[in-house]
């Protein structure tokens, strides 16, 4: 018979007889089906069961396997977006409440002495007093049962938490007690907690506490030491052997002896007179681990008044079957002293053992909790199925092993929790903590949903036909993804995003919009970025021509509080000002107002987007262990591949319908990680080729939209996987899941940054180009001319520029020869970046794409195809600050069109020129391999010729 189907009740039942000696049998076990089936109740009725204890291992056994909890998990997931920790807690609380209900009659019949059910605080908090106190209060309120006991570890940090909880009137079960000294501290904490209540004039009645003294684990350790010494031929072998299986019980008896002195003390008597209940000793860890001993050793051996023994089911059955009930606890106490004295004489390290046991106990419960949360997270992902994106890893064996090792390191070091608690030492220990508000921005935005929805209705009511967003990098790329991915929504304006100083491109956008029906969004976090400022100046001027002094009513801004742009917006009477959050950097801002405001304007279903983002957030939550945490898994692959395998080219390809995700990802990855000579180099949109065109420096990311995949891409990735290339396939089951991926990639980037060992939240090298640009535009404003700038070579329509060092390395008379010399400097593992400061339209994008593919296929190097100045606010950081593996070709042209910058002498054309010069200057200063090709005259013809020259050079 097992405790699962409880036995007969009769007077001879040893479990019932325990009461005669003042001991209460509790059950060290909880499980939903056990309570629901009535078996727990049967133990109460037939065996005199008086309480229940749980711990993380017990819950892990209950919930981590089987299907007991599946219906409730499914039901919760239907209505709520939660993390694994919340899910666990919801299930656990229901179990605890159900068990507390079954035990409630005992609680009443015994006048609050027994009838308790214990729930342990998170083991992750065992070393944190304040967090333990907060958790104890939270769980106490969440369960809301008078016969609940909160389990708090009796560690050095736990003892003050015990005191605080008792003082707050919470019933406490102090767990993980092994040594007399630790127990004494806990007794003191209990008394002090009650005294605090008395001194505040509060009642001490009805506050229950037990001190869980662990037994069998001590013997396991001590007996292990004994066995080792005997095996090593110890001369005290006989004496040592005589102690096997005795030390734990002796230790417990001494604890009980101490308890007896405490309850007799005047200090306790005072509390007792005020109605306080003593903190009883509870024998825990009472299943026999060493099968050569009696299976009821730790029950038989510790029976005595005013104590509890919490017994696991099998031992419970064994004791019912053949337990012997005699008051052993108070017998032969002198013998117990002798055993402990003998152990000390023989050099058995009881103090060391108990210290180790506390550490191991905490770690063991952490491990169990990790396993439990991992199992729940896996179940959750399986049940949510296509409501979440699906990730498949195809990694070469060595990378796979290294990633798994990294995930295990993250688990054992509690790094996911450290990340969520904003521990800057995960990166460089500097200002990182101040840049992590993006972790919780989705929750804030959901609370603010009404604000966005009202704004959305207002935009609709005003009947704008177009919306033009002016901004750079983090202020424009997220909105661009939303615009490109979701297109136009009926009744809402078409959202355009302009992030260029190329006059032709500005003109193109101007031609597309109807200013009288356009809403302009000036988007700049800092408010000081050159481009949004001058673009605002230009379009405001244009708007004034059409709208007169109503121009301001067609402008809004998204900017950080207190920024220059806020002042501009106020002065010019902008319709609205939306604020960013100062603790969110630009590239992490898409789920803040920087993305949500444009999303609202474009008429996107905001709740749907935010819910998707929330799923991303919850999947990456602090409670989700690394191996089940999609953000940590992805970040580990990227970080480990770059750090340990030289695979730092993150080659991003997405299904056509979501292709623009790559533009956003580029900035996130490059600007976050590309610094201190390290980092990830994103390679976006490079059409997949045969495995033979790739070096050994790639990790491939395939963002596959399963509702609209591309057969060619599928086939190409199949080939790459078959060739053993590392491929991460992320399937989005609908487009809105880009929001889930926004969060997940932010998290993954932070993780990768930690693994690479950089600060993932600054952009130290971007500023350098801005300074150089500023110098040039200032010089222009002062002199009306650009500073002189001489090419080192010319060939027909082409003029070549570089700093001295680069120029010296690039000897040649023809474009082909110069380019050849430049490309010849590329080595395996390098990349070539084409940086085109030209109008970004369909034709030039196609040109750039074809040329980059020729370069890749010719040189077998990774290629980046970028437009300036847009990339300066994105990948530019990594080009200057990341690994020195870039070979840069800057492409500039004469501008047919020029546009004025109101209030300045310089024009857009001058700004663009200054930006190109400034950036080349900085690349040169950093010793990077950089060459500029300027196309004089007709751009189209020049591009054709340049393509030929490049093809010939590779
Ligand atoms: O939103 P802001 O402050 O105008 O900055 C735009 C972009 O420029 C950068 O600061 C780089 O220059 C990016 O980090 C940022 O996303
Ligand atoms: O409170 C109960 C304890 O967590 C439990 O008894 C520990 O038992 P173990 O040592 O068998 O794991």
């Amino acid at each position: 018979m097992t405790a699962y189907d409880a036995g007969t009740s009769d007077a001879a039942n040893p479990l019932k007889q325990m009461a005669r000696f003042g001991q209460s049998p509790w059950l060290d076990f909880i499980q939903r089906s056990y309570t629901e089936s009535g078996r727990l109740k049967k133990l109460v009725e037939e065996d005199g069961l008086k309480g229940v204890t749980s711990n993380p291992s017990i819950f892990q056994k209950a919930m981590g396997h089987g299907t007991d909890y599946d219906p409730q998990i499914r039901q919760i997931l239907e209505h709520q977006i939660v993390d694994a920790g919340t899910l666990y807690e919801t299930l656990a609380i229901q179990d605890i409440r159900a068990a507390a209900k079954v035990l409630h009659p005992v609680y009443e019949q015994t006048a609050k002495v027994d009838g308790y059910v214990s729930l342990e605080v998170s083991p992750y908090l065992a070393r944190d007093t304040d967090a333990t106190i907060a958790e104890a209060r939270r769980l106490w309120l969440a369960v809301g049962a008078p016969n609940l006991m909160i389990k708090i570890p009796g560690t050095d940090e736990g003892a003050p938490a015990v005191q605080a909880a008792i003082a707050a009137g919470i019933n406490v079960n102090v767990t993980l007690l092994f040594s007399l000294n630790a127990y004494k501290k806990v007794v003191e904490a209990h008394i002090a907690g009650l005294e605090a209540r008395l001194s505040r004039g509060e009642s001490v009645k009805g506050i229950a506490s037990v001190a869980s003294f662990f037994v069998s684990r001590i013997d396991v350790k001590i007996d292990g030491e004994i066995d080792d010494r005997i095996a090593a031929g110890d001369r005290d072998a006989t004496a040592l052997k005589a102690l096997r299986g005795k030390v734990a019980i002796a230790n417990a008896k001494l604890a009980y002896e101490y308890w007896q002195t405490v309850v007799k003390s005047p200090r306790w008597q005072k509390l007792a007179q005020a109605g306080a209940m003593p903190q009883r000793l509870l024998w825990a860890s009472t299943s026999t681990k060493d099968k050569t001993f009696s299976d009821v050793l730790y029950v038989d051996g510790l029976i005595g008044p005013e104590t509890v023994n919490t017994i696991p089911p099998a031992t419970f059955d064994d004791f019912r079957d053949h337990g012997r009930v005699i008051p052993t606890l108070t017998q032969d106490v002198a013998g117990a002293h002798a055993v402990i004295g003998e152990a000390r004489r023989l050099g058995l390290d009881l103090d060391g053992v108990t210290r180790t046991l506390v550490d191991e106990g905490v770690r063991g419960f952490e491990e169990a909790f990790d396993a439990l949360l991992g199992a729940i997270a896996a179940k959750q992902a399986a049940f949510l199925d296509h409501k979440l994106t699906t990730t498949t890893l195809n990694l070469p064996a060595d990378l796979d092993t290294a990633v798994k090792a990294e995930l295990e390191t993250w688990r054992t070091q509690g790094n996911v929790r450290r990340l969520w608690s904003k521990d800057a030492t995960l990166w460089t220990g500097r200002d990182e903590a101040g840049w992590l508000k993006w972790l919780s921005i989705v929750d804030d935005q959901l609370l603010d949903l009404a604000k966005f929805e009202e704004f959305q209705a207002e935009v609709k009511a005003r009947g704008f036909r177009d919306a033009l967003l002016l901004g750079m990098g983090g202020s424009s790329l997220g909105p661009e993804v939303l615009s490109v991915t979701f297109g136009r929504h009926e009744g809402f304006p078409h959202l355009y995003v302009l992030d260029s100083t190329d006059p032709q491109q500005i003109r193109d956008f101007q031609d597309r919009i109807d200013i009288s029906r356009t809403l302009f969004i000036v988007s700049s976090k800092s408010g000081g970025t050159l481009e949004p400022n001058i673009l605002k100046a230009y379009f405001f001027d244009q708007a004034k021509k059409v709208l007169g002094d109503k121009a301001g009513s067609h402008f809004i801004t998204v900017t950080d509080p207190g920024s220059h742009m806020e002042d501009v917006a106020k002065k010019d009477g902008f319709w609205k000002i939306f604020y960013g959050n100062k603790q969110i950097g630009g590239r992490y801002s898409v789920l803040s107002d920087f993305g949500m405001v444009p999303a609202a304007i474009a008429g996107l279903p905001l709740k749907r987007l935010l819910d998707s983002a929330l799923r991303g957030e919850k999947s990456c939550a602090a409670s989700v262990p690394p191996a089940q945490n999609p953000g940590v898994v992805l970040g580990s692959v990227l970080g480990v591949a770059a750090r340990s395998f030289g695979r730092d080219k993150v080659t991003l390809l997405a299904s056509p319908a979501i292709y623009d995700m790559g533009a956003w990802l580029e900035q996130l990855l490059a600007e976050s990680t590309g610094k201190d000579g390290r980092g990830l180099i994103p390679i976006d949109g490079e059409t997949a080729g045969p495995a033979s065109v790739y070096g050994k420096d790639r990790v491939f990311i395939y963002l596959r939209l399963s509702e609209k995949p591309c057969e060619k891409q599928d086939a190409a990735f199949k080939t790459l996987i078959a060739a053993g290339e590392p491929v991460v396939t992320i399937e989005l089951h609908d487009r809105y899941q880009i929001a889930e991926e926004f969060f997940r990639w932010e998290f993954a980037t932070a993780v990768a940054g930690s693994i690479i060992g950089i600060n993932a939240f600054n952009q130290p090298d971007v500023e350098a180009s801005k300074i150089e640009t500023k110098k040039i535009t200032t010089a222009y404003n002062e002199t009306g001319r650009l500073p002189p700038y001489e090419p080192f070579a010319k060939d027909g329509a082409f003029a070549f520029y570089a700093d001295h060092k680069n120029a010296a390395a690039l000897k040649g008379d023809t474009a082909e020869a110069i380019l050849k010399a430049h490309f010849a400097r590329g080595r395996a593992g390098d990349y070539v970046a084409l940086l085109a400061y030209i109008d970004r339209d369909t034709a030039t994008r196609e040109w750039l794409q074809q040329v980059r593919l020729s370069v890749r296929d010719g040189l077998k190097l990774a290629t980046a195809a970028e437009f300036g100045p847009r990339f300066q606010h994105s990948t530019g950081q990594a080009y200057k600050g990341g690994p020195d593996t870039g070979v840069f070709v800057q492409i500039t042209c004469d501008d047919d069109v020029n546009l004025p910058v109101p209030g300045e002498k310089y024009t857009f054309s001058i700004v663009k020129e200054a930006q190109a010069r400034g950036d080349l200057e900085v690349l040169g200063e950093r010793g990077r391999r950089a060459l500029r090709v300027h196309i004089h005259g007709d751009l189209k013809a020049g591009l054709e010729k340049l393509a030929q020259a490049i093809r010939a050079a590779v």
Side-chain angles (χ1 to χ4, degrees), residues 472-475 524-527 529 532 586 667 671 763 766 770 873:
M472 302 305 290
S475 297
S524 174
K525 198 180 152 49
S526 62
T529 304
Q667 184 197 8
E671 212 173 58
Q763 50 283 330
V766 173
K770 290 187 185 169
H873 298 275

Side-chain angles (χ1 to χ4, degrees), residues 435 472 475 523-533 557-567 580-582 584-586 594 763 767 770 873:
W435 290 106
M472 302 305 290
S475 297
S523 180
S524 174
K525 198 180 152 49
S526 62
T529 304
L530 175 69
E531 295 91 333
N533 272 283
T557 185
V558 189
T559 191
D560 275 3
S563 81
H564 165 69
M565 193 55 73
E566 182 186 4
D567 293 344
N581 187 304
K582 284 195 166 174
I584 302 179
F594 283 96
Q763 50 283 330
E767 199 52 26
K770 290 187 185 169
H873 298 275

Side-chain angles (χ1 to χ4, degrees), residues 212-233:
S212 292
F213 211 85
F214 280 46
V215 199
S216 72
R217 293 190 196 187
I218 292 182
D219 276 348
V220 170
K221 278 273 175 223
I222 292 283
D223 293 354
E225 210 179 312
I226 289 174
D227 292 347
D228 288 349
R229 280 178 56 181
I230 294 173

Side-chain angles (χ1 to χ4, degrees), residues 187 197 439 464 485 803:
V187 168
R197 289 184 70 82
L439 284 168
F464 293 111
T485 308
D803 66 335

Side-chain angles (χ1 to χ4, degrees), residues 28 53-55 57-58 120 151 173 175 212 214 216-217 282-287 289 310 312 365:
D28 203 12
T53 51
S54 68
N55 66 33
S57 312
I58 290 171
E120 191 151 341
K151 267 176 112 172
N173 174 343
T175 184
S212 292
F214 280 46
S216 72
R217 293 190 196 187
L282 173 150
W283 311 126
S285 186
T286 54
S287 66
K289 308 311 192 267
T310 193
F365 283 155

Side-chain angles (χ1 to χ4, degrees), residues 394-544:
N394 288 96
L395 305 178
D398 51 358
L399 177 57
D400 187 55
T401 307
V403 167
K404 286 191 177 125
E406 187 67 36
L407 292 172
E408 183 57 7
T409 303
W410 271 65
R411 188 186 70 76
T412 54
Q413 296 184 351
N415 284 356
V416 188
R417 295 186 296 281
R418 286 172 67 201
L419 198 157
W420 277 94
S421 68
K422 306 188 177 175
D423 177 351
T425 62
L426 266 183
W427 297 280
T428 66
R430 288 197 279 268
D431 68 343
E432 288 92 338
W435 290 106
L436 287 163
K437 183 68 186 123
W438 53 270
L439 284 168
S440 57
I441 191 67
V442 181
D443 307 71
D444 295 352
Q445 299 295 54
L446 276 162
L447 290 175
D448 258 359
L449 190 62
K451 169 187 101 175
F452 295 116
E453 286 178 343
E454 266 165 39
F455 172 60
Q456 188 164 53
E458 285 181 86
V459 169
K460 190 173 192 186
R462 286 188 60 181
F464 293 111
R465 194 194 77 173
D466 306 308
L468 179 59
L469 184 141
L470 313 169
M472 302 305 290
S475 297
S476 62
L477 293 168
E480 184 186 276
V481 177
L482 297 175
S483 160
V484 169
T485 308
F486 296 104
R488 182 153 194 199
H489 279 62
E490 192 54 39
F492 290 92
H494 185 136
L495 176 64
Y496 296 99
V497 177
L498 176 55
D499 58 355
S500 178
T501 49
D502 181 89
Q504 183 60 56
Q505 190 162 357
I506 298 170
R507 174 59 60 78
D508 289 350
F509 275 79
Q510 190 172 350
D511 290 346
R512 265 178 240 163
I513 59 170
D514 170 359
I515 288 184
S516 70
R517 297 175 64 198
T518 296
L519 176 61
F520 294 91
I521 309 146
V522 188
S523 180
S524 174
K525 198 180 152 49
S526 62
T529 304
L530 175 69
E531 295 91 333
N533 272 283
I534 60 179
L535 287 167
K536 180 263 157 190
Y538 176 76
F539 281 104
F540 200 76
D541 208 45
Q542 299 296 316
K544 274 204 292 203

